[in-house]
Amino acid sequence: MDNLIIEGFIGSGKGAVARAIAKKLSLPCIDIDKKVSERLRMTTPEIYDRFGVPYYRAMETLILDELTRDEKRHVIVLGSGLATMPQNAPYLKQLGRVYYLKMKESGLLAHMRRSQKHAWIRSETWDEQVEKLLKEREPWYRKTADVTIDANDKSADAVADEIIADQERASGN
């Protein structure tokens, strides 16, 4: 399949980059986190609180599986923890090319502090939690990614253009 799949840590700009790519290529954009929330009619924090992280991860896998049967081309945004589940790697390879938006921890924290979207994860110890989670997840991102994109100090449009250019090179266009 020829989907463009965007992964990265919380605050890396995955959604903004995916929307920019989708707009430039006139493709539908699928956000796995939004799909899980829509399916359960709950917010991500509500799902975590009520059912726990393992249930949430299982829902992500279910949605990936469903996407493998969709023949349309999409831009797909992964949840920041999806790559940590080994069962998801075959789905990702089947779905398309995975782009990891890599950012320095300081940039991620700055994005999260500015974003109202990530207000629910703020706490006095969030800096330490980000450092710990990033160390845990970063090897998984590298493992599942076909391409790592340095997203530090770049606009969503600039990163989108870089991904589109890579996709064109990879497909021989």
Side-chain angles (χ1 to χ4, degrees):
M1 298 181 100
D2 198 19
N3 296 295
L4 291 94
I5 304 165
I6 312 300
E7 73 174 356
F9 197 73
I10 303 161
S12 63
K14 299 181 301 281
V17 168
R19 286 187 299 276
I21 293 168
K23 184 176 180 182
K24 290 170 187 267
L25 298 180
S26 299
L27 293 173
C29 184
I30 295 177
D31 184 315
I32 301 293
D33 284 338
K34 286 181 183 171
K35 284 281 201 194
V36 171
S37 289
E38 287 169 5
R39 172 108 13 121
L40 297 176
R41 295 185 185 122
M42 301 169 82
T43 66
T44 298
E46 289 170 339
I47 298 166
Y48 281 7
D49 289 345
R50 184 162 180 196
F51 301 111
V53 174
Y55 183 84
Y56 191 90
R57 296 285 173 248
M59 290 300 299
E60 290 174 318
T61 301
L62 176 68
I63 290 167
L64 284 180
D65 179 57
E66 290 170 358
L67 286 172
T68 63
R69 291 185 288 284
D70 187 337
E71 295 185 14
K72 294 183 201 129
R73 186 174 185 218
H74 301 92
V75 180
I76 302 170
V77 184
L78 304 182
S80 65
L82 187 144
T84 65
M85 303 306 291
Q87 71 267 23
N88 291 333
Y91 292 113
L92 296 175
K93 294 301 174 200
Q94 184 179 348
L95 283 167
R97 198 159 170 85
V98 178
Y99 294 90
Y100 165 35
L101 305 187
K102 183 175 175 64
M103 287 186 71
K104 295 177 192 164
E105 185 180 332
S106 59
L108 294 167
L109 286 166
H111 282 190
M112 286 185 264
R113 284 188 190 105
R114 285 192 305 267
S115 171
Q116 292 307 306
K117 179 179 164 192
H118 302 298
W120 64 273
I121 56 178
R122 292 190 190 133
S123 71
E124 288 185 24
T125 61
W126 182 241
D127 290 19
E128 293 111 41
Q129 291 173 354
V130 166
E131 181 180 5
K132 180 180 176 263
L133 271 177
L134 192 54
K135 282 182 183 170
E136 288 172 7
R137 292 179 179 181
E138 219 268 330
W140 290 101
Y141 297 146
R142 287 194 317 265
K143 187 175 183 176
T144 56
D146 295 298
V147 179
T148 297
I149 302 287
D150 178 354
N152 290 293
D153 304 316
K154 293 180 184 172
S155 70
D157 272 340
V159 174
D161 289 342
E162 202 172 322
I163 291 170
I164 291 167
D166 177 80
Q167 185 75 12
E168 289 171 351
R169 281 191 301 275
S171 65
N173 293 338

